[in-house]
């Protein structure tokens, strides 16, 4: 399989050289480059700089540092500034933790030094430490409301109030108030990092938050498609689950019917003289009759040749003491000084 023209041109634009074949895994590299630099890069909605910024974010979140080094160079080649790359990695800290964030700053410093950038970079914080909670809440509440406070409200004191304060002051007060990147860019970076971590519960509200921050639906979809080859295919669209088919629809689709489906499938319409009223939900006519339980006739033999006998509970010593053992396991005495024997409580 040869590289497509689109993949070759994109690779040159990002890395400044022709793609070299792998000496050990040539086919895997060709499939990778055709998918990432050919098909995915050709989708609309993002610039080259935005694509590489999101790529840097997911590679840092997953701690794939060799690939992160390569794409840091590519990000500089397509126009991202050193301070934009630093802020992209800083934005990940509330989601991936400080150890991984600091790990990602090491290849960034090496790449910047190789490009002749003098470290350290300028500070871009805009909020004082004592004001970060209020400033963070001013950004968080229009995007997410009071959801975080409601989620943690049941925690024991003081954590029911402290944990929402910590998340608001850190994720929004410390980082989303910083300069260089606006809130829309930071929400998109947070979204792809959450997708890379596989945090499905947080993915849906952050999709809504990224849109409320000013990103279009197409741009959010393009961002998730961009990072898909790096994080894997289990990512699924965030949308409402379709309603469960019932009644006649299940019959037409060949799905099994439950008793509720049979009741829902009964024809309904206005009550008139030619039509009796629909049965009440508690009426036995609202449900189909229950079929009687079939038992083998007494004295007959079952197909395998043995007579049918009712199953009896085992009467091993372990079984006789089961009730007492359960009570002892939870620290409760046997009621009334009784002990279990043969499945019945007998007095001492």
């Amino acid at each position: 399989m040869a590289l497509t023209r689109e993949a070759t041109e994109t690779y040159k634009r990002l890395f400044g050289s022709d793609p070299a074949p792998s000496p050990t895994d040539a086919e895997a590299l060709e499939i990778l480059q055709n998918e990432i630099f050919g098909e995915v890069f050709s989708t609309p909605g993002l610039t080259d700089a935005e694509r590489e910024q999101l790529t840097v974010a997911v590679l840092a979140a997953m701690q794939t540092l060799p690939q992160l080094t390569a794409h840091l160079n590519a990000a500089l080649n397509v126009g991202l500034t050193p301070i934009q790359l630093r802020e992209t990695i800083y934005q990940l800290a509330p989601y991936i933790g400080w150890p991984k964030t600091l790990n990602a700053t090491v290849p960034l410093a090496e790449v910047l030094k190789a490009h002749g950038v003098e470290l350290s970079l300028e500070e871009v914080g805009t909020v004082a430490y004592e004001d970060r909670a209020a400033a963070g809440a001013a950004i968080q509440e229009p995007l997410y409301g009071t959801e975080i406070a409601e989620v943690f409200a049941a925690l024991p004191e003081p954590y029911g109030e402290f944990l929402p304060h910590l998340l608001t002051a850190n994720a929004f007060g410390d980082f989303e108030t910083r300069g260089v990147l606006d809130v829309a860019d930071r929400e998109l970076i947070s979204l792809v990092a959450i997708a890379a971590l596989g945090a499905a519960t947080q993915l849906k509200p952050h999709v809504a938050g990224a849109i409320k921050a000013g990103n279009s639906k197409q741009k959010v979809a393009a961002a998730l498609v961009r990072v898909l080859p790096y994080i894997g295919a289990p990512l699924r669209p965030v949308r409402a689950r379709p309603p469960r088919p019932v009644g006649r629809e299940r019959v037409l689709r060949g799905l099994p019917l439950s008793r509720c489906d049979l009741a829902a499938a009964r024809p309904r319409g206005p009550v008139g003289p030619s039509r009796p009223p629909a049965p009440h939900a508690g009426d036995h006519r609202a449900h189909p009759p229950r079929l009687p339980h079939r038992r083998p006739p007494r004295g007959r033999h079952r197909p395998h040749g043995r007579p049918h006998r009712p199953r009896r509970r085992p009467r091993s010593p372990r079984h006789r003491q089961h009730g007492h053992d359960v009570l002892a396991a939870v620290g409760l005495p046997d009621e009334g000084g009784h002990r279990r024997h043969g499945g019945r409580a007998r007095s001492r």
Side-chain angles (χ1 to χ4, degrees):
M1 180 188 298
L3 288 183
T4 62
R5 180 177 57 83
E6 292 82 1
T8 303
E9 291 178 354
T10 302
Y11 190 94
K12 288 181 180 179
R13 193 165 66 249
L14 295 179
F15 301 103
S17 62
D18 291 327
S22 170
T24 56
D25 297 295
E27 286 185 305
L29 191 61
E30 288 175 356
I31 295 173
L32 177 155
Q33 292 174 344
N34 279 330
E35 178 187 5
I36 295 178
F37 304 120
E39 293 181 294
V40 176
F41 246 89
S42 63
T43 56
L46 297 171
T47 65
D48 285 356
E50 290 171 333
R51 294 178 193 275
E52 282 306 301
Q53 184 179 44
L54 297 175
T55 305
V56 165
V58 296
L59 294 177
M62 297 187 299
Q63 295 289 279
T64 52
L65 301 184
Q67 291 80 9
L68 175 60
T69 301
H71 281 276
L72 286 170
N73 283 288
L76 292 173
N77 292 338
V78 294
L80 283 173
T81 65
I83 200 165
Q84 285 177 320
L85 291 176
R86 186 197 66 180
E87 291 302 309
T88 298
I89 294 177
Y90 279 12
Q91 180 62 28
L92 303 174
Y95 306 98
I96 68 175
W98 278 113
K100 292 181 179 179
T101 303
L102 294 178
N103 287 348
T105 61
V106 174
L108 173 62
E110 295 174 351
V111 169
L112 294 181
K113 287 180 180 178
H115 282 257
V117 178
E118 184 178 353
L119 301 178
S120 64
L121 302 175
E122 62 178 309
E123 297 181 359
V124 296
T126 62
V127 176
Y129 179 84
E130 57 272 12
D131 300 330
R132 62 195 186 110
I139 297 175
Q140 177 191 15
E141 290 181 4
L143 302 181
Y144 300 99
T146 59
E147 180 181 353
I148 293 181
E150 295 170 359
V151 168
F152 297 108
L155 291 178
E157 292 299 333
Y159 301 105
E161 295 181 0
F162 175 74
L163 193 54
H165 158 77
L166 183 64
L167 295 176
T168 300
N170 182 244
F172 296 93
D174 283 332
F175 293 101
E176 300 230 4
T177 60
R178 294 173 65 83
V180 181
L181 302 180
D182 59 18
V183 174
D185 290 335
R186 292 182 180 276
E187 282 296 313
L188 210 57
I189 292 168
S190 302
L191 173 63
V192 297
I194 289 170
L197 296 174
T201 303
Q202 290 79 16
L203 188 62
K204 185 175 180 179
H206 276 272
V207 167
I211 294 173
K212 290 179 182 178
N215 296 293
S216 66
K217 292 183 179 180
Q218 185 193 39
K219 190 170 185 178
V220 171
L224 293 174
V225 170
R226 168 58 191 158
V227 302
L228 191 63
Y230 300 97
I231 67 177
L235 177 66
R236 64 180 180 179
V238 180
R239 59 181 177 86
R241 182 174 295 179
R244 175 180 177 269
V246 296
R248 184 171 180 271
E249 184 180 354
R250 292 183 68 86
V251 174
L252 295 177
R253 293 171 59 177
L255 300 174
L257 289 174
S258 65
R259 294 174 62 187
C260 295
D261 294 328
L262 291 175
R266 294 177 182 271
R268 298 183 181 276
V271 177
S274 61
R275 176 179 174 81
H280 188 266
D283 194 345
H284 70 278
R285 293 176 300 166
H287 302 285
R290 182 179 296 177
L291 295 177
H293 177 65
R294 296 187 60 185
R295 299 180 61 183
R298 189 180 299 275
R300 297 286 184 91
H301 291 278
R302 306 181 81 176
H304 47 66
R306 292 184 296 174
H308 171 73
R309 295 178 182 176
R311 297 182 62 182
R312 295 182 179 180
R313 299 174 65 182
R315 295 181 176 272
S316 63
R318 178 66 182 170
H319 173 73
R320 288 196 295 269
Q321 297 295 327
H322 175 70
H324 177 74
D325 292 343
V326 171
L327 293 175
V330 297
L332 298 176
D334 207 343
E335 295 182 4
H338 295 160
R339 63 180 178 180
R340 309 292 290 183
H341 181 73
R344 296 181 180 178
R346 294 187 179 181
S347 181
R348 293 184 185 273

